């Protein structure tokens, strides 16, 4: 797999993580009455993108602090 393809797939992963995090945050605000901050939203993006990446690449040597 070429470097350009890997970069594109990484950008798609991040885009999906951002959209998913905004969607679930909106649902929490509307249906659960919770509040949310930008910092909380960014942490959700980091966590979900890392989980999704590891589900596709379980033998990856990347640690969470490196992911951030």
């Amino acid at each position: 797999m070429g470097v350009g393809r890997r970069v594109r797939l990484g950008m798609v992963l991040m885009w999906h993580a951002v959209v998913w995090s905004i969607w679930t945050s909106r649902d929490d605000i509307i249906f659960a009455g919770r509040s949310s901050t930008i910092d909380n939203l960014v942490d959700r993006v980091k966590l979900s993108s890392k989980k999704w990446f590891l589900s596709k690449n379980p033998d990856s040597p990347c640690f969470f602090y490196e992911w951030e």
Side-chain angles (χ1 to χ4, degrees):
M1 178 167 25
V3 174
R5 179 174 164 79
R6 288 179 58 164
V7 169
R8 187 167 42 93
L9 290 175
M11 295 301 282
V12 168
L13 172 77
M14 291 304 297
W15 173 252
H16 286 137
V18 168
V19 171
W20 178 256
S21 298
I22 291 171
W23 185 279
T24 56
S25 179
R26 181 193 67 101
D27 285 351
D28 286 346
I29 292 168
I30 292 172
F31 299 115
R34 296 183 192 146
S35 62
S36 185
T37 64
I38 297 296
D39 293 334
N40 186 14
L41 189 61
V42 170
D43 288 340
R44 283 184 179 202
V45 169
K46 290 178 190 177
L47 188 61
S48 62
S49 63
K50 175 66 176 174
K51 285 181 182 179
W52 294 346
F53 177 77
L54 285 178
S55 71
K56 292 288 187 179
N57 306 299
D59 57 341
S60 174
C62 183
F63 297 107
F64 187 71
Y65 72 90
E66 294 173 329
W67 187 260
E68 291 182 341

